[in-house]
Amino acid sequence: MDNKIDFKIPDEVAAEALQHIINAATVLKPYLIALNAEERKTIPKVSDGTSPFVLKTLEFS
């Protein structure tokens, strides 16, 4: 298989993107909560088997 992607993201662009990610995390931080391991286990997961169901419910909403 040939690698058809042959470019390098300039350092300035990468730094600007990273700054945007940091800004987004800062803005959202007051609304985020940390979950412990037990709480994470109770959250429904989306996998290959459940993704068609999730996509269909999004269509209906």
Side-chain angles (χ1 to χ4, degrees):
M1 180 185 298
D2 294 332
N3 184 4
K4 296 183 180 189
I5 300 174
D6 186 24
F7 63 87
K8 182 180 183 316
I9 297 174
D11 291 337
E12 300 82 27
V13 173
E16 182 179 356
L18 180 60
Q19 189 58 49
H20 285 297
I21 292 169
I22 292 169
N23 290 343
T26 303
V27 169
L28 294 173
K29 192 169 187 163
Y31 306 101
L32 302 177
I33 60 169
L35 301 175
N36 62 34
E38 201 57 38
E39 291 169 325
R40 285 194 301 268
K41 288 179 187 177
T42 64
I43 295 176
K45 311 290 189 292
V46 177
S47 65
D48 290 340
T50 57
S51 62
F53 173 76
V54 173
L55 293 174
K56 187 56 87 172
T57 57
L58 288 173
E59 287 176 18
F60 289 132
S61 62

